[in-house]
């Protein structure tokens, strides 16, 4: 999915053939089997994302697939099933993975599940942990010395379940 022009109605997105991306030093070339769609991807197509780039670019930040090419010394090998963060380029047949954020996934893990590994869970975890800390701080500030509350225990439990 190539974003040729930034548009509020996604009218600047087109399906078309592009050149095969060439890996830079350390990057992993991945045959894409699934790509996640997240809020930042939608913002990027409109030019509203804080880390935007000028068009044309291939949309998509999360990918799952099979390693086609790995750099020397990489813990990943050709044929490995992986999920990773790519920032841009996931919505193509081939994508370039950031080694630090590319992990092997088990054979029983669906590629669609693998593609949804990074952005949404990280956002949820970060937001929930922050919310839990705020609620816990409020609960502590409103009770008497030595007293605990049910909400304080619930906040601690929810933070551990993330």
């Amino acid at each position: 999915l190539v974003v040729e022009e930034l548009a509020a109605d996604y009218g600047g997105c087109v399906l078309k053939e592009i050149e095969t991306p060439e890996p830079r030093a350390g990057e992993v070339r991945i045959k894409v089997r699934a790509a996640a769609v997240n809020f930042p991807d939608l913002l990027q197509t409109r030019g509203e994302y804080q880390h935007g780039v000028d068009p044309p670019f291939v949309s998509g930040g999360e990918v799952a697939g099979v390693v086609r090419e790995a750099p020397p010394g990489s813990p990943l090998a050709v044929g490995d099933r992986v999920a990773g963060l790519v920032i841009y380029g996931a919505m193509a047949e081939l994508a370039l993975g950031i080694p630090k954020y590319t992990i092997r996934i088990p054979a029983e893990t669906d590629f669609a599940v693998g593609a949804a590994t990074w952005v949404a869970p990280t956002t949820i975890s970060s937001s929930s942990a922050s919310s839990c800390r705020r609620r816990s701080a409020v609960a502590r500030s409103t009770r008497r010395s030595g007293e605990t509350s049910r909400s304080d225990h619930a906040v601690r439990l929810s933070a551990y379940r993330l």
Side-chain angles (χ1 to χ4, degrees):
L1 182 67
V2 178
V3 178
E4 289 193 328
E5 86 180 55
L6 304 174
D9 65 355
Y10 313 111
C13 301
V14 296
L15 293 176
K16 71 180 217 178
E17 294 290 323
I18 60 169
E19 290 186 31
T20 300
E22 289 300 320
R24 292 178 295 252
E27 289 183 322
V28 178
R29 189 189 320 251
I30 301 167
K31 169 67 176 148
V32 178
R33 296 291 306 273
V37 178
N38 292 290
F39 191 56
D41 302 318
L42 303 178
L43 290 175
Q44 288 170 355
T45 67
R46 299 174 176 185
E48 297 173 0
Y49 190 60
Q50 69 263 30
H51 304 295
V53 296
D54 293 329
F57 62 88
V58 176
S59 189
E62 286 179 290
V63 65
V66 178
V67 173
R68 281 282 177 92
E69 187 177 335
S74 171
L76 301 171
V78 172
D80 283 349
R81 293 169 46 91
V82 296
L85 187 63
V86 298
I87 309 299
Y88 292 97
M91 295 181 196
E93 291 178 23
L94 294 168
L96 301 175
I98 301 168
K100 178 175 169 179
Y101 300 110
T102 303
I103 59 171
R104 281 188 211 87
I105 58 174
E108 61 272 9
T109 299
D110 186 86
F111 284 111
V113 171
T117 299
W118 294 105
V119 176
T122 302
T123 302
I124 291 167
S125 176
S126 175
S127 297
S128 296
S130 177
S131 176
C132 287
R133 284 190 296 273
R134 283 192 303 273
R135 286 184 284 170
S136 183
V138 168
R140 283 192 306 274
S141 69
T142 58
R143 65 175 180 258
R144 289 178 230 130
S145 177
E147 182 179 64
T148 59
S149 71
R150 184 176 294 174
S151 65
D152 191 40
H153 292 295
V155 167
R156 272 190 259 138
L157 286 174
S158 64
Y160 288 115
R161 289 190 184 131
L162 296 176

